[in-house]
Amino acid sequence: MTGWTEQHPAVLDQLDRFGEFHADGRRVSKVFRPVFGWMRRQMAERVEDASGRPLIWLIVSADLDRRSVCDWRCAQRGRSLCGKMHISPGKVWLRVSIPATRLLLSDFAWWGDRVLSYGYVPLDDADDARWQRRVRRELGLPATVPIPWGLAGVSDERRRAAIANWPRIFDVDVTGERTVQATVEHLFVDDVVDKLQGPAIDDVPREYRHMFSTYLRAQG
């Protein structure tokens, strides 16, 4: 299975020197560490030979290739950004080919929008609406007030019910319209089949530089 992962160039050095790279997890924000720990446990339970160590993240898609990624040349000379994915300044995008048996696939949007916010992963829109109505009743919130981030204030039972449905993110279709991500514990030098280098921060138009305050930090 092929995919892209954005990494610090130091990862390439690790691959060249030692033939493999694995993350250390130290740069995961404390507020998200329980969620990342949950994903690591899921990896250990669902993927043979996985041990529950920190994960490397990929985007996988049947139609994702070099033409889908931009190195910011589109923004040079005052032009508008194109609709492609842009490499972060100071980073490199690695195209990898990894056996599916080493990967755990999950829904990119549900992970980012719901699991990382300690929320509820619904079956469909109707299920989502029912869940939100229950939470609003419990918290006494009108429809115009957003549900608190992280389900703050809800009962422990309601929170456990939300977490119990997180495994729904693993029900994915790589040929569908939704973006699929994957996690893997080790990246080997032979996994890498292509790479694209991101620009230096000074080569990115000034109006976009605020987006990349951590562009030089090592991936982990």
Side-chain angles (χ1 to χ4, degrees):
M1 183 168 288
T2 59
W4 289 93
T5 178
E6 185 179 82
Q7 300 290 341
H8 191 276
V11 172
L12 287 177
D13 181 59
Q14 291 284 316
L15 289 170
D16 290 340
R17 292 175 61 193
F18 304 110
E20 66 177 281
F21 166 75
H22 58 82
D24 60 28
R26 289 178 297 176
R27 290 177 178 81
V28 175
S29 172
K30 289 183 179 180
V31 71
F32 296 125
R33 286 181 184 176
V35 181
F36 278 80
W38 175 85
M39 183 64 98
R40 289 163 61 176
R41 292 191 296 275
Q42 293 294 313
M43 186 85 180
E45 293 173 5
R46 296 168 181 266
V47 177
E48 187 176 1
D49 296 330
S51 61
R53 68 177 309 138
L55 300 171
I56 300 163
W57 298 76
L58 322 170
I59 293 294
V60 298
S61 172
D63 58 356
L64 185 63
D65 58 22
R66 177 181 275 258
R67 294 169 298 179
S68 308
V69 186
C70 180
D71 61 2
W72 290 88
R73 293 181 188 179
C74 68
Q76 295 175 2
R77 295 185 296 275
R79 290 182 292 178
S80 300
L81 291 184
C82 66
K84 299 179 181 179
M85 289 181 288
H86 288 75
I87 308 171
S88 297
K91 297 290 184 72
V92 60
W93 271 57
L94 304 178
R95 183 168 172 81
V96 297
S97 179
I98 299 176
T101 53
R102 288 170 48 201
L103 299 173
L104 178 60
L105 305 183
S106 58
D107 188 289
F108 175 80
W110 284 141
W111 164 259
D113 296 342
R114 298 302 177 94
V115 178
L116 280 182
S117 64
Y118 296 85
Y120 177 74
V121 179
L123 284 170
D124 50 34
D125 290 344
D127 182 44
D128 195 22
R130 286 191 296 270
W131 170 267
Q132 294 195 39
R133 286 195 297 270
R134 295 188 188 108
V135 172
R136 291 182 185 283
R137 280 199 303 269
E138 181 176 322
L139 298 178
L141 294 177
T144 55
V145 177
I147 292 175
W149 186 91
L151 296 180
V154 304
S155 65
D156 290 341
E157 180 181 5
R158 185 78 63 192
R159 191 181 305 277
R160 286 193 295 269
I163 294 173
N165 286 285
W166 286 358
R168 290 173 175 171
I169 69 172
F170 302 122
D171 184 16
V172 296
D173 177 5
V174 294
T175 64
E177 295 182 356
R178 295 179 66 85
T179 301
V180 177
Q181 63 183 5
T183 49
V184 66
E185 290 191 338
H186 295 271
L187 193 63
F188 299 102
V189 65
D190 290 340
D191 296 331
V192 179
V193 297
D194 195 7
K195 57 182 178 291
L196 286 174
Q197 180 68 53
I201 191 66
D202 290 341
D203 293 331
V204 173
R206 187 174 301 277
E207 61 266 32
Y208 300 113
R209 294 179 192 174
H210 70 281
M211 301 163 56
F212 303 104
S213 60
T214 60
Y215 74 101
L216 286 179
R217 295 183 183 176
Q219 182 75 23

